[in-house]
Amino acid sequence: MIDLSGKTAIVTGGSRGIGRAIALRLATQGADVCISYRGNAAAAEATVAEMAAMGRTAFAVQGDAAEPDAAKALVDAALARLDRIDILVNNAGITRDDLIMRMKPEDWNDVIATNLSGAFWTIKAATRPMMKARAGRIINITSVSGQAGQMGQANYSSAKAGLIGLTKATARELASRGITCNAVAPGFVLTELTADLDPKLLDAIKAQTPLARFGTPEEIASAVAFLASDEAAYITGQVLAVDGGLVMM
């Protein structure tokens, strides 16, 4: 069993969906957890309450992932309450889907700023304390859209592909200090982001997936927990696809 007892973690976008499942899984394995959220305070506090009920130190910090100052404030708050940062999970993300010819500049910029730049700002803020400790686990949540592209998601696919490059660059840069950086690439997972998709599209997606079903947030969380653990100490710069076989590379 994965043991994260005594470890501390930050999970961005940890109030709902995949982020919530990740935060709860890390807490279940023994970690104290700080989550960030942008707007839904009630969801954030509900997630915190679940982790606290496990006997963990847990709290939420409000902030926009796209803002460098918010990333620094998040890391500072985590250090103030938890003393150190062992695990950083960059999960915060948004979608603004449209075809390239119709995509508004703000929809391109907002997705890149949140999904890609947001992860960079948080990594940048967490690097100094992790380097000082000469240890750390960074896990970025990318997507099959970043590996294979997706029609109507030029902004999202570009951001998630960029996140893979950021993962590899970070892994190379921080390896000498005992810090690993990996990515998890979920396939299609049923969350609030996918709940409104056309049923015919959902059926088509399942038909394209070798395992013929959608993933669950908990299955993504299991992969993150592994990469955050001592069992993954010799793994860095990798992309772990949790997609039912949808993208085989």
Side-chain angles (χ1 to χ4, degrees), residues 68-147:
D69 290 346
K72 185 178 184 306
L74 171 64
V75 169
D76 287 346
L79 289 172
R81 290 281 298 273
L82 304 175
D83 294 327
R84 67 186 190 281
I85 301 167
D86 298 309
I87 302 159
L88 169 62
V89 182
N90 284 305
N91 167 77
I94 60 172
T95 56
R96 299 285 187 271
D97 295 353
D98 212 339
L99 296 176
I100 290 171
M101 64 184 295
R102 294 203 304 245
M103 187 172 289
K104 298 175 182 177
E106 57 268 30
D107 290 340
W108 170 269
N109 291 332
D110 288 350
V111 170
I112 297 297
T114 299
N115 297 16
L116 177 56
S117 298
F120 172 78
W121 299 129
T122 313
I123 290 170
K124 180 178 174 65
T127 293
R128 190 177 300 277
M130 282 189 171
M131 289 179 70
K132 185 177 180 181
R134 301 189 71 85
R137 300 278 187 270
I138 300 172
I139 301 107
N140 297 320
I141 307 303
T142 180
S143 169
V144 294
S145 294
Q147 295 175 302

Side-chain angles (χ1 to χ4, degrees), residues 28-230:
T28 298
Q29 305 301 147
D32 295 324
V33 183
C34 167
I35 64 170
S36 73
Y37 69 99
R38 186 170 67 171
N40 194 329
E45 290 306 322
T47 302
V48 166
E50 281 197 58
M51 294 188 289
M54 302 176 197
R56 309 291 176 249
T57 298
F59 59 101
V61 176
Q62 191 278 332
D64 187 341
E67 298 295 330
D69 290 346
K72 185 178 184 306
L74 171 64
V75 169
D76 287 346
L79 289 172
R81 290 281 298 273
L82 304 175
D83 294 327
R84 67 186 190 281
I85 301 167
D86 298 309
I87 302 159
L88 169 62
V89 182
N90 284 305
N91 167 77
I94 60 172
T95 56
R96 299 285 187 271
D97 295 353
D98 212 339
L99 296 176
I100 290 171
M101 64 184 295
R102 294 203 304 245
M103 187 172 289
K104 298 175 182 177
E106 57 268 30
D107 290 340
W108 170 269
N109 291 332
D110 288 350
V111 170
I112 297 297
T114 299
N115 297 16
L116 177 56
S117 298
F120 172 78
W121 299 129
T122 313
I123 290 170
K124 180 178 174 65
T127 293
R128 190 177 300 277
M130 282 189 171
M131 289 179 70
K132 185 177 180 181
R134 301 189 71 85
R137 300 278 187 270
I138 300 172
I139 301 107
N140 297 320
I141 307 303
T142 180
S143 169
V144 294
S145 294
Q147 295 175 302
Q150 185 68 29
M151 187 174 72
Q153 288 193 321
N155 49 6
Y156 186 80
S157 296
S158 296
K160 292 300 187 178
L163 200 53
I164 292 173
L166 176 61
T167 297
K168 293 178 181 294
T170 301
R172 289 189 183 277
E173 193 166 319
L174 302 183
S176 64
R177 297 300 182 98
I179 301 165
T180 67
C181 184
N182 293 288
V184 172
F188 287 93
V189 177
L190 290 179
T191 67
E192 292 179 10
L193 287 178
T194 56
D196 296 330
L197 291 178
D198 186 284
K200 291 182 179 179
L201 176 58
L202 296 179
D203 288 341
I205 292 168
K206 283 195 286 187
Q208 295 169 18
T209 304
L211 289 183
R213 67 174 178 85
F214 293 96
T216 68
E218 290 72 25
E219 287 171 322
I220 309 306
S222 293
V224 172
F226 165 67
L227 290 173
S229 73
D230 290 342

